[in-house]
Amino acid sequence: MEHTASVNPWVALAYLIAGVCFILALRGLSSPATSRRGNRLGMIGMGIAVVTTLLTHLPMAANPYGGSAAAIEHGLQFLPDWITLLEILGAIGLGAVIGLVIARRIAMTAMPQLVAAFHSLVGLAAVLVAAAAFLNPIAFGIAELVVPLIGQPFAAIHPVSRIEMTLGAAIGAITFSGSVIAFLKLNGSMSGKPILLPGRHFINLGVLGLILALTAQFAHTQTPWMFWAVTLLAFVVGFLLIVPIGGADMPVVVSMLNSYSGWAAAAMGFTLENSAMIITGALVGSSGAILSYIMCRAMNRSFLSVIAGGFGAESAAGGGEAIDRPWKRGSAEDAAFLMSQAEQVVIVPGYGMAVAQAQHAVREMADKLKAHGVRVKYAIHPVAGRMPGHMNVLLAEANVPYDEVFELEDINAEFAQTDVAFVIGANDVTNPSAKTDKSSPIYGMPVLDVEKAKTVLFVKRSMGGVGYAGVDNPVFYMDNTMMLLADAKKMTEEIVKAID
């Protein structure tokens, strides 16, 4: 089958424009200040790609091969007649309605599990497209009709296309099942603790090796059961890769699955000879891989161990109970007095703020402090929360000025000159054990140096719990620390009321 996109210069130009929009969208999404523009550019690019694809292929949908005598004689099944423009637009409309409802109803604190769910849908889409291409390869232009002298005619899939569709299905299946497990862990429907299977690394390597072997054999023989076996094994691998990973490593998991979904889309783009899919998939895959690398550096993890799966499982399983040592308890009035008298306050948000949905109360507190002449800044750790940029998203939702938000490397040197560090629900990312205790599971992870501030106000529900990494935080027991034990939103609201 001749692909219009490969011979029509206008189609190629449209896909090129869409690709440029995607690149500019990623550029815009790199900063909260330009994220809205980046989102709009991404939507425009996707709209161009979808419309171009529909205009290119719809004229062939009803009868793509002209009802050739050979096709009719041998009873080959091509694209069904019921795939019409109306039905395609209906499906797009239904998806748009579902997306709109979810976008309006989803809480910002639930964004991590929503992202994981979206990744699962991208992976499943890649699997379904690969399955459709395998079942009807001539309609996708990736096979030739072979009419043997003896026996039934069959479609001989191009060897390269066999590899592309199998890899696309495998990566998509891994993305789907892995994202489902990540969603369940993030949503609390499944324990966030690592599930460690005996010999899991050998099992993972064995299954991955079998997938590669079957893919190579399928490329040689086109034996149908091999394609389905690869897909099924890939679903299993996705499950095996994610279940050993603890909740503390979920930010890296989310970025890793984002990368996988991109590569799955790119692989299917090659199968379909669709340059827009290739560009989009490559951009998502490469940006996700870069983000995963950045997150690994922020957590002192090995990038290769992330790709292999099960990273951090041993350390996350290590666990540790809260230490029974003297500590000071403060009140909302104490915190209000200390911060209102300070020259600079650095607010350090964490997952506790997200759970309590305290971001708006935090911004209101900051506004009151600034009205008292206090300089307020926000310190963001790269892995605070449950997905990359989680805290940035929450603060942006609360209309916190972008110029007040600083990343770890930009703010850490200022803690020594800060009067009050207000830590709200951030445990592991402020734990100085990461710098000194080689036996700690977070050893080597860069952390925010809140302990260097003159006073540390630490908002926490109780002293009995530990962070996601399962280790206690020595900052709780330091002389310059005052523990504010309460729900983060309630405590912050009380502080707002107490500030004159």
Side-chain angles (χ1 to χ4, degrees), residues 89-417:
L89 292 178
I92 293 175
L94 178 61
V97 170
I98 294 173
L100 181 63
V101 172
I102 292 176
R104 288 187 172 274
R105 293 186 177 181
I106 196 72
M108 293 303 293
T109 51
M111 284 299 294
Q113 48 264 51
L114 178 65
V115 172
F118 282 167
H119 289 163
S120 72
L121 295 179
V122 175
L124 184 60
V127 173
L128 294 177
V129 171
F134 172 70
L135 293 173
N136 199 2
I138 293 181
F140 283 81
I142 59 174
E144 301 293 340
L145 175 63
V146 176
V147 183
L149 295 176
I150 301 176
Q152 294 294 322
F154 65 94
I157 303 175
H158 304 152
V160 174
S161 296
R162 298 176 199 172
I163 297 175
E164 292 167 350
M165 73 166 61
T166 309
L167 289 179
I171 299 173
I174 291 173
T175 303
F176 173 76
S177 55
S179 297
V180 168
I181 298 300
F183 170 83
L184 294 175
K185 284 177 175 277
L186 290 167
N187 200 46
S189 304
M190 180 179 181
S191 173
K193 294 182 179 180
I195 300 175
L196 306 180
L197 302 177
R200 65 188 181 281
H201 294 303
F202 293 103
I203 296 174
N204 291 345
L205 290 174
V207 176
L208 288 172
L210 183 57
I211 288 175
L212 293 177
L214 288 173
T215 300
Q217 189 62 22
F218 177 75
H220 179 65
T221 64
Q222 195 180 317
T223 306
W225 70 265
M226 293 182 180
F227 173 82
W228 301 114
V230 167
T231 305
L232 179 61
L233 288 172
F235 279 120
V236 175
V237 168
F239 171 82
L240 294 175
L241 287 176
I242 305 303
V243 291
I245 300 175
D249 292 321
M250 276 300 122
V252 188
V253 172
V254 172
S255 61
M256 178 182 69
L257 292 171
N258 178 56
S259 179
Y260 287 177
S261 66
W263 297 127
M268 295 317 304
F270 280 106
T271 299
L272 303 179
E273 296 185 17
N274 188 303
S275 57
M277 283 187 68
I278 296 172
I279 293 172
T280 306
L283 287 172
V284 173
S286 57
S287 61
I290 293 171
L291 182 58
S292 296
Y293 176 73
I294 294 172
M295 304 300 283
C296 287
R297 288 185 58 189
M299 298 184 71
N300 192 37
R301 305 296 193 196
S302 164
F303 183 70
L304 292 178
S305 66
V306 175
I307 301 301
F311 61 99
E314 291 84 0
S315 62
E321 299 298 329
I323 305 170
D324 186 15
R325 289 163 51 184
W327 51 277
K328 291 188 298 185
R329 181 167 188 167
S331 64
E333 290 74 17
D334 297 329
F337 175 78
L338 288 169
M339 286 193 287
S340 61
Q341 299 300 311
E343 290 186 8
Q344 175 166 296
V345 172
V346 176
I347 300 172
V348 181
Y351 189 61
M353 184 190 77
V355 172
Q357 300 186 40
Q359 60 269 28
H360 294 281
V362 168
R363 183 195 56 78
E364 186 178 358
M365 180 186 74
D367 289 344
K368 278 207 168 187
L369 290 174
K370 286 186 286 185
H372 279 69
V374 180
R375 187 167 58 253
V376 177
K377 296 184 178 181
Y378 297 81
I380 306 295
H381 192 282
V383 296
R386 294 295 177 269
M387 73 174 186
H390 195 183
M391 294 302 106
N392 301 76
V393 171
L394 291 176
L395 294 179
E397 186 213 9
N399 294 319
V400 171
Y402 301 133
D403 57 0
E404 295 179 4
V405 181
F406 297 86
E407 300 294 335
L408 177 146
E409 60 271 14
D410 299 321
I411 193 71
N412 242 5
E414 292 194 31
F415 280 108
Q417 290 80 42

Side-chain angles (χ1 to χ4, degrees), residues 463-483:
M463 294 296 293
V466 292
Y468 247 48
V471 291
D472 202 23
N473 192 337
V475 173
F476 300 160
Y477 315 101
M478 291 182 174
D479 293 336
N480 62 330
T481 299
M482 183 179 293
M483 300 300 298

Side-chain angles (χ1 to χ4, degrees), residues 338 418-422 450 452-457 480-482:
L338 288 169
T418 296
D419 297 296
V420 178
F422 184 80
V450 297
K452 295 181 180 180
K454 294 178 182 177
T455 301
V456 180
L457 299 177
N480 62 330
T481 299
M482 183 179 293

